[in-house]
Amino acid sequence: MRQKTRKTITFISFILFPVTMNFFSPYVSIDGAISGVITGSVIVFFIMFLSGIIFGRSWCSYVCPMATLSEISENINSKNPNVKKLTTIRYTIFGVWFSVLVSGFILAGGINGFDPLRLTKNFVSVDMPIKYITYYLVLGLFFILSVALGKRGACHSVCWMSPFLVAGFEVSKLLKIPHLRITSDKSKCISCHRCDKECPMSIEVEKSALRGIISTSNCILCGKCIDVCPKNVLGYAFTKKTK
Ligand code: SF4
Ligand code: SF4
Ligand code: SF4
């Protein structure tokens, strides 16, 4: 039931992507930054950071429009990618983009205004046929990378949004703020490895379960490991426990 509900929500988010695309756009945020303007996408990135503080990376499994594409591509290639290598690529891309964004604001002399609907005057991101090129390029990129690299390959390698969620998650850990995690009753684990196979983020769930908590920021809190576990070892909890 939980997975059906989750997939329904992300499918709706995916269907709405032609409307919401600009609010996740790295291009729109830079277009605003060079004029010193806070755009809708910058506001959404800030909301993602705040959400990371309380809900970790659950945005990735309950809100993000790309989640549906990732799950479809998993049916074609369900191998675990080289997460470490892809994460390095992701943070390199993010570093370049974020530097350009900050430089834009500095060169513009700081924040001069707000324009949440920048380049989205009709409340719809894809409001003319030419914009479908960007729309299909984004979808194509995420789908092809996920099929080519393995489970959530695009999320690990190119996502420019997840660092905001990770930053929120790390702030929460640092300040010891209770936040959503997967915890375990390790005494019940029978080491069947089902959770490892089911995890879309290629996390060694069993190892973490034996420590009592999933501590990595790669966990997107999808709950698949909870649902597949035959011994009810795993569960959601709001906790400030870090290890
Ligand atoms: S990693 Fe990025 S693209 Fe993937 S689900 Fe999370 S926010 Fe969406
Ligand atoms: S550890 Fe569990 S909740 Fe976290 S991403 Fe993997 S399956 Fe989902
Ligand atoms: S599915 Fe449950 S019992 Fe099996 S290894 Fe994972 S936590 Fe342990």
Side-chain angles (χ1 to χ4, degrees):
M1 180 65 187
R2 178 183 9 236
Q3 295 307 321
K4 271 193 188 158
T5 309
R6 189 181 65 74
K7 285 180 183 179
T8 306
I9 295 168
T10 53
F11 183 68
I12 293 168
S13 177
F14 175 67
I15 294 295
L16 290 174
F17 191 52
V19 178
T20 59
M21 186 175 73
N22 283 355
F23 298 95
F24 302 110
S25 168
Y27 170 75
V28 174
S29 53
I30 287 175
D31 183 74
I34 54 181
S35 308
V37 168
I38 299 274
T39 61
S41 50
V42 170
I43 294 168
V44 168
F45 298 147
F46 186 63
I47 291 170
M48 289 176 83
F49 167 72
L50 295 179
S51 137
I53 294 176
I54 306 296
F55 300 108
R57 283 188 62 182
S58 44
W59 179 289
C60 293
S61 51
Y62 285 89
V63 181
C64 183
M66 292 301 123
T68 295
L69 268 190
S70 297
E71 298 200 23
I72 293 171
S73 65
E74 217 177 299
N75 295 321
I76 305 170
N77 184 357
S78 60
K79 282 191 189 142
N80 290 341
N82 183 336
V83 174
K84 215 172 161 185
K85 196 169 148 192
L86 298 183
T87 303
T88 307
I89 296 171
R90 176 166 52 115
Y91 279 103
T92 306
I93 295 171
F94 177 78
V96 172
W97 168 70
F98 196 68
S99 305
V100 173
L101 185 75
V102 173
S103 306
F105 279 112
I106 293 171
L107 290 173
I111 298 169
N112 304 319
F114 287 82
D115 186 5
L117 294 179
R118 194 172 185 88
L119 306 179
T120 322
K121 299 300 172 211
N122 303 318
F123 293 90
V124 175
S125 301
V126 185
D127 58 354
M128 56 177 95
I130 189 108
K131 290 193 181 170
Y132 271 104
I133 296 173
T134 313
Y135 172 76
Y136 284 118
L137 277 176
V138 174
L139 295 191
L141 177 76
F142 267 79
F143 188 69
I144 290 167
L145 281 177
S146 298
V147 170
L149 298 172
K151 286 183 189 173
R152 294 248 176 187
C155 293
H156 289 301
S157 63
V158 293
C159 177
W160 56 90
M161 300 174 282
S162 58
F164 294 105
L165 296 166
V166 173
F169 172 79
E170 294 298 342
V171 164
S172 199
K173 268 170 65 175
L174 195 71
L175 301 180
K176 299 203 181 328
I177 299 167
H179 54 284
L180 192 62
R181 303 294 286 274
I182 304 287
T183 55
S184 66
D185 179 351
K186 53 189 174 188
S187 62
K188 292 199 280 183
C189 180
I190 54 167
S191 296
C192 67
H193 294 289
R194 286 199 206 177
C195 49
D196 289 346
K197 284 186 202 129
E198 194 68 15
C199 179
M201 294 301 280
S202 313
I203 296 165
E204 291 180 316
V205 186
E206 187 209 335
K207 265 194 192 168
S208 299
L210 293 174
R211 285 199 299 267
I213 194 163
I214 312 278
S215 52
T216 169
S217 63
N218 279 336
C219 176
I220 56 172
L221 296 148
C222 62
K224 283 186 169 186
C225 54
I226 301 174
D227 295 331
V228 81
C229 179
K231 294 290 177 184
N232 295 323
V233 174
L234 303 153
Y236 286 114
F238 274 98
T239 177
K240 53 184 174 184
K241 210 169 122 184
T242 53
K243 287 181 190 163

